[in-house]
Amino acid sequence: MTASVAAKEPGIELAGPAPYWPTFGLAFRLARRDLRGGVGGLITVLLCLALGVGVIAAVGSLRAAVDAGLAADGRRILGGDVDVDGGNTPLPDELRGWLRQHGATTSDIVMMRSLLVAPSGERTLIELKAVDAAWPLVGSAEATPPQPIAAALADRDGHFGLLADPLILDRLGLKPGDLARLGSATLRVAGALTTEPDRVATPSIFGPRVLISQSALGETGLIAPGTMAQYKLRAIASPLAATVLPAELRAAFDNRGWRIRDPSQAAPQVSRFLDQTSLFLTLVGLTSLLVGGIGVANGVGAWLDARGRTIATLRCLGASSGLVLTMCLIQVMSLAAVGIALGLAFGASVPLVCAWLPDGWLPIPAVAGLYPEPLLLAGCFGLLTALCFALWPLGRAARIPGAALFRDLILPERIRPHAAVIAANVLIAAALVFVTIATAADRRFALYFCIGALATLGLFRLAAVAVMRVARLAPTSRTPWIRLGVANLHRPGAATPLLMLSVGLGLATLATVALIQYNIRTQILEQMPTAAPSFFFVDI
């Protein structure tokens, strides 16, 4: 649609007084009719925003889904309402008596590393877990062949039973009914341990799991002075008492040096890993949005070049700067909204996809659902980025006189946007920085990221100025394609600044990721083996 046609349509008047901020209805009608002619370069705006918003929304939604899974299943993962870790020191009966006085049911666990020896002499390092008859307090353990856990571990024919990870049975060639040696005791293999409800809270680090009863542990002779064992006690109580039990326990035994956890701290290693991963991936998403913002500026610039004749005609017919700015802004933000919506749709689908993944893909099952908070945050980032990078070129194009717009591509006018547009742009950029820092898990790291991003933008801008100046002062070549290429670097309206920002920022992001990967790999492959022993022995 051209401006001359718009002027002839009923309900649209361009002549007369031209306030800077026009009525929204007129700008909306012009924008809607102009969009019928196609979106042109605005497709770049849509794709750039969809990519950045999609990454941030996916990371935030997945983290919220895992947090929901931890909150819903934290009691089972922890193994009770409270977990007391005494370290290498057995927990006293005073603690058990205090918990029972508060209506709690307790269960003791001892964990250590040892060797399981098959009749053939084959042996393997294991993570030994000795439990009492009350284990598990929450959830259920399963074995193959199916049998009650207490019956599987009980003394039968003079031998206590054990349940082992299927990997151990396969590695040592054991099957149910075989005998295996653990310490100074000979135990009966009762079957394979297939489900352990508190496995995340008590992970197997040095070897696969072997489960025995505490009565069998006494016969093994493994508990001796200097033994590296870990003593734990779990307790469950009524729902009302469970909410205050951890706090009261800490107050009653505040000087014992025990580690006391509640279901919200069921998997601190997993939570810490998720925090660090979420922070890194969120900043990767913000970097994608930053690169996408340059793409927004490029896309808006290309779109304005294609719409320059229409905008110039509107200005010549008497359209105010505010009318042109509002009309163009509506069109740009309409396409930006579509891009943001696509990114949010992708991010919202990630928890649904992860819920269908097989068990074991995630340390804590993600709860499928729609999580508004991370989606709103991602949408806010996308909206602020679109406004921040689109407002300046739109504000500048709106202020250029109509006649000058026809020649702006060849002889660009040295015109800045209106003071109100500049102020709005500064406020939007400040809001983007504020939201980035305020919503980050590590605010100091987010602050450094924002400072680095602004410094990088300024550095590439200065580099572009330097390239243009060098190209302008360079001697003229007799080769036509060299002469034209160098001239295009510094000619009026040259895209050198935006290209320098786009290519430089993209390459800087890729180089940063590659350097991080290389440094981590170097530390693992080169530094660690030089200081690591050839053999190590555990709990001799």
Side-chain angles (χ1 to χ4, degrees), residues 277-439:
T277 304
S278 298
L279 176 62
F280 175 74
L281 291 179
T282 299
L283 292 180
V284 169
L286 289 174
T287 306
S288 301
L289 267 183
L290 185 61
V291 177
I294 306 300
V296 169
N298 286 332
V300 170
W303 177 76
L304 286 175
D305 291 340
R307 287 289 183 271
R309 187 179 298 275
T310 300
I311 297 173
T313 304
L314 286 172
R315 293 303 310 277
C316 291
L317 291 174
S320 66
S321 298
L323 175 61
V324 173
L325 173 62
T326 307
M327 180 194 73
C328 295
L329 191 61
I330 290 173
Q331 296 178 77
V332 172
M333 295 311 298
S334 298
L335 269 294
V338 175
I340 293 172
L342 291 176
L344 294 179
F346 169 76
S349 66
V350 169
L352 302 177
V353 174
C354 291
W356 289 92
L357 293 176
D359 294 339
W361 282 63
L362 292 173
I364 298 175
V367 177
L370 188 65
Y371 299 94
E373 185 175 349
L375 296 180
L376 288 175
L377 180 61
C380 180
F381 278 126
L383 180 63
L384 291 175
T385 302
L387 285 172
C388 185
F389 285 90
L391 203 54
W392 186 278
L394 290 178
R396 178 184 174 278
R399 291 201 71 192
I400 299 177
L405 272 169
F406 286 107
R407 61 177 182 271
D408 186 59
L409 184 62
I410 301 175
L411 295 174
E413 294 286 332
R414 295 184 178 275
I415 295 179
R416 292 183 177 182
H418 192 275
V421 175
I422 296 177
N425 210 337
V426 171
L427 289 176
I428 291 169
L432 184 58
V433 172
F434 174 78
V435 173
T436 302
I437 298 174
T439 58

Side-chain angles (χ1 to χ4, degrees), residues 44 197 527:
T44 304
Q527 296 180 9

Side-chain angles (χ1 to χ4, degrees), residues 187-210:
L187 304 181
R188 169 182 44 83
V189 178
L193 180 64
T194 55
T195 301
E196 186 182 355
D198 56 350
R199 189 176 186 87
V200 175
T202 55
S204 301
I205 300 176
F206 288 94
R209 175 80 74 218
V210 169

Side-chain angles (χ1 to χ4, degrees), residues 46-60:
L46 186 151
L47 296 177
C48 291
L49 291 175
L51 175 63
V53 171
V55 172
I56 296 175
V59 173

Side-chain angles (χ1 to χ4, degrees), residues 112 128 182-187 212-213 215-223:
M112 60 188 305
L128 182 64
L182 183 63
S184 59
T186 301
L187 304 181
I212 64 173
S213 66
S215 300
L217 180 63
E219 290 197 358
T220 62
L222 294 175
I223 300 298

